[in-house]
């Protein structure tokens, strides 16, 4: 374990570090499945840790030798770390979306990504009025009702076979998603009742002219649909990427985003910019917080205005004990967001305030409508999550990725796993908080952490935090298993992969073991996806 340096000791990200970080966005063309040998495990995997960590993110950043416009446009790859009896089974596969299959067969780009400019192949005519983007299934992943689903916010889910992650195709879960208008989003919430019963809540967002239509579903553990709620808002470009919820409400943030029509006409229409690059943060608008009543819970529909900021991801939300206040913890980009396809240098990226995520608490007075904001820590952060047992309820612990600086003046790429804990004032706008940080080292770059509860857990943070780490010095990745109550102590186990793994987006934990029978022989598999038919598997 390495102690995090202060921002005085290392006050900026230099060009060398930036180049090392960008190695995390290197394609992984090989698909593997194998039991991780004991020699690749440093420390001890807890025998009580049983289930599967699923990860999803871009796995391929070139098609036919041509680099995608932005890493977020990369084709989705799902990985599974399946734990049983103190052992780990690893597997990874590309999601065989329609677009992936067709482009692999053609050996060239055929579809536009969100950041693609002009014809995806780089020449010839393109239809600028066709605004749909390539379905890449690269953002979220969930195991529910016996199904493993790869998610992207502009497509239907792709179902993956267990345990080998082969793509079965898009699914509506036997009709549970039959009216998804026409997507099922990449983000979701899972709530846990006092009796242990779990509910999956998902949503979709789609533009309808100058308006946006939000649809929210709740599903029981067998993937039977319990409720469906739909609302239409003014403002097609609210950028509803994520949501939060409470006992009574679905909580949606409408970001103050507008379409720059001049840039759309003079750059996008001429093939000089992607459609995403024509979206702009608009300080003349307010950020709007929409509270949509959950069916049968007694809430009242409301919209609340606050100082403009942008947020991709929310931590959690809950109502105060007296029902008068709603608390939303989010990662707020307080100075706005810049949608750019340019992979700029560190001085440009980290020398500006836009795109910097700050852990921010919003306190909403449900009677007066007043919304107060307060930044809780100095460190820049992203990819927040809480224990599933406290989703929609008061929480004391948030798990995130963060920079190494912990400074209001300096920020950088994702190099620490950070746990923020509230010790006093759980409902307060200004709670007393502390940080517990795992810093794997100057050449390491962390993925989103996932909290896994210990069986029969005695506290909210009684369990483990699992996080992938890329080490640019070795060119390989490892899975860190950390005691959630002491991240700073370092991993109790490291599962070393003999290869790198591209920087993933989101993951989830399932209590299901998605792997082969550990008592039966299993022959390791290796499949290089280059130059072969995409529907051929190892």
């Amino acid at each position: 374990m390495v102690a995090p340096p202060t921002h005085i000791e290392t006050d900026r990200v230099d060009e060398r570090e930036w180049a090392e970080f960008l190695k995390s966005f290197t394609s992984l063309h090989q698909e593997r499945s194998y039991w991780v040998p004991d020699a690749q495990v440093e420390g001890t995997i807890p025998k009580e840790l049983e289930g599967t960590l699923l990860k999803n993110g871009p796995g391929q950043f070139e098609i036919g030798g041509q680099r995608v416009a932005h890493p977020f446009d990369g084709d989705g790859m799902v990985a599974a770390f399946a734990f049983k009896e103190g052992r780990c089974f690893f597997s990874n596969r590309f999601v065989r979306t329609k677009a992936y299959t067709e482009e692999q067969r053609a050996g060239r780009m055929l579809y536009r990504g969100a950041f693609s400019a002009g014809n995806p192949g780089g020449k010839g005519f393109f239809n600028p009025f066709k605004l749909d983007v390539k379905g890449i299934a690269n953002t979220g992943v969930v195991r529910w009702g016996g199904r493993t689903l790869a998610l992207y916010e502009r497509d239907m889910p792709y179902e993956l076979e267990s345990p080998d992650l082969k793509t079965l195709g898009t699914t509506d879960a036997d009709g549970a998603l039959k009216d998804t208008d026409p997507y099922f989003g990449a983000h979701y919430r899972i709530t846990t009742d006092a009796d242990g019963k779990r509910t999956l809540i998902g949503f979709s967002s789609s533009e309808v002219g100058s308006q946006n239509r939000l649809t929210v579903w709740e599903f029981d553990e067998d993937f039977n649909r319990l409720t469906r709620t739909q609302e239409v808002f003014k403002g097609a470009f609210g950028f509803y990427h994520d949501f939060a919820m409470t006992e009574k409400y679905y909580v949606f943030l409408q970001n103050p985003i507008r379409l720059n029509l001049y840039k759309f006409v003079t750059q996008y229409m001429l093939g000089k910019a992607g459609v995403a690059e024509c979206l702009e943060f608009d300080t003349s608008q307010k950020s709007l917080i929409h509270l949509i009543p959950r069916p049968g819970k007694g809430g009242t529909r409301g919209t609340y205005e606050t100082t403009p900021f942008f947020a991709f991801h929310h931590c959690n939300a809950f109502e105060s004990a007296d029902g008068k206040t709603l608390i939303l913890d989010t990662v707020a980009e307080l100075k706005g967001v810049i949608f750019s396809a340019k992979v700029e240098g560190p001085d440009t990226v980290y020398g500006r305030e836009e795109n910097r995520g700050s852990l921010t608490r919003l306190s909403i007075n449900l009677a007066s409508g007043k919304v107060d904001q307060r930044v809780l820590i100095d460190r820049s952060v992203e990819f927040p999550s809480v224990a599933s047992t406290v989703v929609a309820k008061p929480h004391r612990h948030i798990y995130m990725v963060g920079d190494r600086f912990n400074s209001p003046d300096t920020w950088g790429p994702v190099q620490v796993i950070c746990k923020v804990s509230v010790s006093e004032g759980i409902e307060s706008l200004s709670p007393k908080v502390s940080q517990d940080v795992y810093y794997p080292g100057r050449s390491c770059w962390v993925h989103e952490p996932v909290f896994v509860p210990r069986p029969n857990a005695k506290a909210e943070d009684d369990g483990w935090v699992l996080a992938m780490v890329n080490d640019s010095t070795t060119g390989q990745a490892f899975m860190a298993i950390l005691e959630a109550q002491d991240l700073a102590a370092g991993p109790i186990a490291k599962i070393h992969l003999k290869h790198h793994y591209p920087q993933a987006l989101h993951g989830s934990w399932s209590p299901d073991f998605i792997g082969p029978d550990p008592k039966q022989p299993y022959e390791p598999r290796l499949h290089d996806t280059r130059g072969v038919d995409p529907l051929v598997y190892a």
Side-chain angles (χ1 to χ4, degrees):
M1 241 290 292
V2 181
T6 69
H7 68 281
I8 296 172
E9 293 170 319
T10 173
D11 61 1
R12 69 183 185 91
V13 179
D14 59 29
E15 292 288 346
R16 182 195 65 80
E17 285 180 294
W18 180 247
E20 293 293 297
F21 174 54
L22 292 183
K23 291 179 181 178
S24 294
F25 302 98
T26 301
S27 296
L28 178 61
H29 298 291
Q30 294 77 26
E31 298 176 325
R32 295 173 169 86
S33 56
Y34 59 91
W35 282 102
V36 178
D38 292 342
Q40 290 176 221
V41 179
E42 181 181 345
T44 303
I45 300 173
K47 289 197 173 181
E48 317 98 290
L49 180 63
E50 187 163 319
T52 305
L53 176 70
L54 294 162
K55 301 287 292 180
N56 194 4
Q60 176 173 259
F61 304 99
E62 310 86 21
I63 301 168
Q66 182 180 347
R67 186 80 177 177
V68 297
H70 190 282
F72 289 173
D73 282 343
D75 290 297
M77 173 181 280
V78 171
F81 291 81
F83 297 92
K84 196 175 185 68
E85 299 176 1
R87 300 178 65 195
C88 176
F89 179 81
F90 173 82
S91 59
N92 70 294
R93 286 195 190 274
F94 282 103
V95 184
R96 267 59 169 185
T97 63
K98 177 178 181 292
Y100 173 85
T101 301
E102 292 178 2
E103 288 185 330
Q104 291 298 107
R105 284 174 170 166
R108 63 185 178 91
M109 290 187 182
L110 302 174
Y111 292 86
R112 288 209 306 273
F115 291 91
S116 298
N119 187 298
K123 58 184 179 179
F125 172 78
F126 85 103
N127 180 1
F129 298 103
K130 188 178 181 182
L131 299 178
D132 56 324
V133 297
K134 177 182 175 181
I136 45 184
N138 75 354
T139 311
V141 59
V142 65
R143 172 84 173 173
W144 196 257
R147 301 172 185 265
T148 303
L149 305 180
L151 307 175
Y152 182 62
E153 61 190 35
R154 307 293 291 188
D155 206 347
M156 289 293 287
Y158 275 81
E159 185 171 356
L160 309 179
E161 191 175 56
S162 300
D164 57 15
L165 302 180
K166 290 181 180 178
T167 302
L168 298 175
T170 57
T171 182
D172 68 357
D174 293 334
L177 307 178
K178 64 182 178 182
D179 46 5
T180 51
D181 307 311
Y183 315 118
F184 186 79
H187 283 278
Y188 54 87
R189 300 280 159 167
I190 295 175
T191 62
T192 307
D193 293 342
D195 61 2
K197 184 180 69 175
R198 301 188 306 152
T199 303
L200 172 70
I201 300 92
F203 84 105
S204 76
S205 169
S206 57
E207 299 80 25
V208 184
S210 62
Q211 297 179 314
N212 195 290
R213 179 172 58 210
L214 290 173
T215 308
V216 188
W217 302 267
E218 299 198 14
F219 305 95
D220 68 15
E221 294 182 85
D222 295 321
F223 226 139
N224 297 308
R225 190 168 76 188
L226 302 174
T227 65
R228 177 179 182 271
T229 303
Q230 192 169 82
E231 291 273 349
V232 177
F233 303 115
K234 293 181 180 179
F237 301 105
F239 209 97
Y240 303 96
H241 177 69
D242 191 11
F243 74 109
M245 59 184 296
T246 70
E247 297 281 5
K248 291 184 178 180
Y249 297 101
Y250 308 121
V251 183
F252 284 92
L253 174 71
Q254 182 172 328
N255 288 289
I257 299 295
R258 71 180 182 92
L259 178 68
N260 184 327
L261 289 174
Y262 178 80
K263 189 172 185 179
F264 185 84
V265 172
T266 62
Q267 295 190 41
Y268 169 76
M269 297 280 284
L270 299 180
K272 298 179 179 180
V275 65
E277 295 178 280
C278 297
L279 300 177
E280 288 186 346
F281 184 71
D282 185 0
T283 56
S284 69
Q285 299 183 43
K286 297 287 189 181
S287 290
L288 302 180
I289 303 165
H290 299 293
L291 303 186
I292 303 173
R294 293 177 65 187
K297 302 295 184 179
T300 302
R301 175 74 176 84
T303 295
Y304 302 83
E305 295 184 351
T306 188
T307 306
F309 68 90
F310 183 89
F312 282 107
H313 302 118
H314 309 303
C315 311
N316 193 37
F318 61 90
E319 298 147 37
S320 61
D322 61 11
K324 296 179 179 180
T325 305
L326 187 144
I327 298 293
L328 170 64
D329 286 346
T330 188
V331 175
E333 297 178 10
L334 298 169
K335 298 299 182 180
V337 63
I338 296 175
F339 297 99
S340 174
K342 297 177 182 177
V343 181
E344 301 164 299
D347 290 341
T348 301
V349 174
Y350 303 118
R352 63 192 180 204
E353 294 182 288
E354 293 91 349
N355 296 84
R356 173 180 176 141
S358 297
L359 177 59
T360 304
R361 171 158 288 195
L362 279 70
S363 178
I364 305 168
N365 186 310
L366 298 177
S368 70
K370 185 184 179 190
V371 180
D372 293 308
Q373 296 181 17
R374 182 65 55 86
V375 175
L376 298 185
I377 61 172
D378 290 333
R379 190 187 306 275
S380 72
V381 295
E382 248 301 350
F383 293 165
S385 64
V386 299
S388 61
T389 53
V390 294
V391 170
K393 303 169 188 174
H395 59 273
R396 290 197 176 274
H397 309 286
I398 303 170
Y399 307 92
M400 298 167 286
V401 298
D403 69 34
R404 70 170 185 267
F405 301 105
N406 195 28
S407 164
D409 305 314
T410 307
W411 66 296
V414 291
Q415 290 191 279
V416 306
I417 301 298
C418 176
K419 173 190 176 187
V420 173
S421 299
V422 176
S423 58
E424 296 178 14
I426 194 168
E427 296 182 357
S428 168
L429 177 65
S430 304
K432 184 177 180 180
V433 300
S434 61
Q435 295 185 55
D436 184 14
V437 171
Y438 166 56
Y439 176 58
R442 189 77 176 258
S443 64
C444 291
W445 320 93
V446 300
H447 297 222
E448 175 192 65
V450 175
F451 173 79
V452 180
R454 196 184 311 274
N456 303 310
K458 305 299 183 184
E460 178 187 326
D461 62 345
D462 185 7
W464 305 276
V465 171
L466 275 55
M468 286 268 284
V469 180
N470 292 333
D471 187 334
S472 55
T473 300
T474 64
Q476 297 178 349
F478 64 87
M479 171 63 67
I481 303 177
L482 302 146
E483 284 285 355
Q485 295 179 343
D486 192 359
L487 302 189
I492 58 173
K494 287 184 180 180
I495 301 169
H496 292 276
L497 305 181
K498 292 298 186 181
H499 51 83
H500 83 288
Y501 198 87
Q503 199 76 20
L505 292 175
H506 298 292
S508 62
W509 174 259
S510 170
D512 296 346
F513 172 73
I514 308 174
D517 186 344
K519 294 182 174 58
Q520 298 297 321
Y522 185 88
E523 188 69 26
R525 300 176 185 176
L526 173 63
H527 175 62
D528 196 311
T529 60
R530 292 170 292 189
V532 298
D533 189 284
L535 295 185
V536 173
Y537 293 89

